[in-house]
Amino acid sequence: DDLNDWVGCLGGHPQAKTPHIDALAKRGTLFTNAHCQAPICNPSRTSLMLGLRPSTTGIYLNAPWFRATPRNKDRVPLSQYFRQHGYATLTTGKIYHGSKMDDASFETVGPRPGQRLKIDERLLKIEGTGSGLWDYGAQTYEEEKFGDYLDATWAIEQLEAKHENPFFLAVGLYRPHVPWYAPKRFFDERPLDEVKLPEVKEDDRADLPKAAIELAENPTPPSHEWFVKSKQWKPAVQAYLASSTFTDAQVGRVMAALDKSAYAKNTIVVLWSDHGFHLGEKQRWAKRTVWEDGTRVPFLVLLPGQREGQTCAKPVELLSVYPTLIKLCGLPARDELEGVDLSPLLKDAKAAWDRPAITTY
């Protein structure tokens, strides 16, 4: 959630430490030019799960819930389609915005702890922000009590269990969504005085018309001016990087369990983030922009038996997850889907490709 290209294998930040995601990329196909269909949670996740563009669903912001809309209430999301074709469907954490649960999509539901736990200590008082979630720093309780750790543990238990039917397991890790909380050891990996800020051109928005500036405004986070004047830019970057490394550790735990399981050789793994994120670039914080930092996402596919360590620079969309997975698993094609099957690129990352990636905001 909110993971931008600050991942080792994507090179978005020189101090990014994501060894488990990087290792996963070396085993599969890494798409280095992948983009979300909307740079905000609800429409991006709705688009991926329904296989439809925001312009088709009519869902552009964090409301409404797709089942509450006449045009979308009877649509069949990705996991529901697998369920209709004999798969057990299981989930934990955040898949849909706000951790909402679609009962038709998942029959087995694990923990959904949310973005802030009762044991989290408020660390900063940030005035003038539209969201109480804007906080960051190390929490000192046991690592095993963090929400993403609990979600990963539940997912591991499912991978250790015996399944009579094929299964579809969706694991929704929260970090690095705010608040940027992680165990202290992840902060200690990058001492504050050594943290490198993203390169920012001071006059980068000087050539933009008023309409573009207004579109890029986001009332939820503190202003870039606040981060600079309060000397909070480095602490915030440190916390984002720490949260990302903590999430990477959970990816590693789940993958280690899969590799030890009976399902290691016949399980497709897809890792994706719902959109990008700004940490001062363009004097901007958070999401909701159509600049590359707001749209580019980590996206990789591990397909058993495929070529390992492929890197694909073609422009691709998260919208392709739905048609690609049903194709790979031999499920009937669906004419309604608007994404394009990525199977040709999984077979050969340099295959001919003439499709764009389109983001709508």
Side-chain angles (χ1 to χ4, degrees), residues 173-190:
L173 301 172
Y174 273 93
R175 299 293 176 258
H177 193 291
V178 288
W180 295 321
Y181 296 152
K184 185 175 182 297
R185 69 184 181 94
F186 294 98
F187 285 80
D188 293 342
E189 289 183 10
R190 302 170 198 81

Side-chain angles (χ1 to χ4, degrees), residues 27-340:
R27 294 170 57 183
T29 299
L30 172 68
F31 293 95
T32 60
N33 193 12
H35 297 266
C36 63
Q37 273 48 79
I40 181 172
C41 292
N42 186 44
S44 175
R45 291 164 181 268
T46 300
S47 174
L48 183 145
M49 293 299 284
L50 296 184
L52 301 171
R53 299 190 181 281
S55 49
T56 298
T57 65
I59 295 173
Y60 297 99
L61 296 171
N62 278 345
W65 168 239
F66 78 95
R67 292 288 189 202
T69 61
R71 76 168 79 171
N72 301 302
K73 64 184 177 67
D74 296 322
R75 297 206 196 270
V76 178
L78 170 62
S79 48
Q80 183 181 355
Y81 194 64
F82 271 85
R83 188 177 183 182
Q84 290 175 346
H85 288 83
Y87 279 69
T89 54
L90 314 92
T91 188
T92 185
K94 177 181 176 180
I95 299 301
Y96 290 104
H97 174 60
S99 287
K100 285 185 81 77
M101 186 46 53
D102 180 43
D103 293 336
S105 291
F106 295 105
E107 57 187 326
T108 304
V109 180
R112 289 180 291 146
Q115 284 146 336
R116 184 190 290 281
L117 307 181
K118 289 182 180 178
I119 55 175
D120 287 330
E121 180 186 352
R122 186 80 193 201
L123 302 171
L124 297 172
K125 271 190 100 173
I126 304 177
E127 302 294 338
T129 169
S131 171
L133 290 174
W134 275 88
D135 194 22
Y136 43 88
Q139 294 289 344
T140 56
Y141 52 84
E142 296 93 332
E143 193 165 320
E144 293 77 11
K145 293 181 180 178
F146 280 77
D148 285 337
Y149 194 100
L150 293 170
D151 292 340
T153 297
W154 186 87
I156 290 167
E157 290 168 355
Q158 311 318 303
L159 293 169
E160 291 173 343
K162 185 175 181 180
H163 296 274
E164 298 299 333
N165 295 325
F167 61 85
F168 181 109
L169 173 61
V171 184
L173 301 172
Y174 273 93
R175 299 293 176 258
H177 193 291
V178 288
W180 295 321
Y181 296 152
K184 185 175 182 297
R185 69 184 181 94
F186 294 98
F187 285 80
D188 293 342
E189 289 183 10
R190 302 170 198 81
L192 192 58
D193 60 349
E194 297 177 12
V195 169
K196 295 182 180 179
L197 296 177
E199 292 185 18
V200 175
K201 193 168 180 284
E202 291 302 320
D203 62 347
D204 210 3
R205 295 174 18 163
D207 59 344
L208 294 180
K210 183 183 175 186
I213 295 288
E214 289 175 350
L215 180 70
E217 288 305 316
N218 186 351
T220 303
S223 68
H224 182 61
E225 183 182 27
W226 179 88
F227 281 103
V228 174
K229 285 188 174 179
S230 303
K231 297 184 178 178
Q232 287 296 312
W233 197 357
K234 274 195 174 186
V237 168
Q238 180 196 40
Y240 184 89
L241 289 167
S243 297
S244 300
T245 303
F246 173 59
T247 286
D248 177 78
Q250 310 320 308
V251 172
R253 293 177 61 224
V254 173
M255 285 305 302
L258 175 61
D259 288 340
K260 288 179 190 171
S261 76
Y263 318 109
K265 294 183 179 178
N266 68 344
T267 298
I268 299 165
V269 178
V270 179
L271 184 142
W272 57 281
S273 171
D274 51 1
H275 42 66
F277 201 88
H278 293 260
L279 287 104
E281 303 93 341
K282 301 276 189 184
Q283 293 82 52
R284 186 65 168 63
W285 287 75
K287 45 227 176 189
R288 303 191 190 207
T289 79
V290 289
W291 285 309
E292 187 169 357
D293 288 322
T295 71
R296 187 176 179 226
V297 293
F299 178 42
L300 61 90
V301 179
L302 170 59
L303 180 63
Q306 76 168 26
R307 244 188 260 184
E308 291 192 354
Q310 289 197 110
T311 298
C312 180
K314 312 285 187 183
V316 298
E317 303 177 300
L318 293 180
L319 195 64
S320 288
V321 171
Y322 197 150
T324 301
L325 285 182
I326 64 174
K327 171 75 170 180
L328 294 175
C329 294
L331 275 58
R334 300 193 63 211
D335 293 338
E336 179 187 44
L337 302 181
E338 295 177 322
V340 180

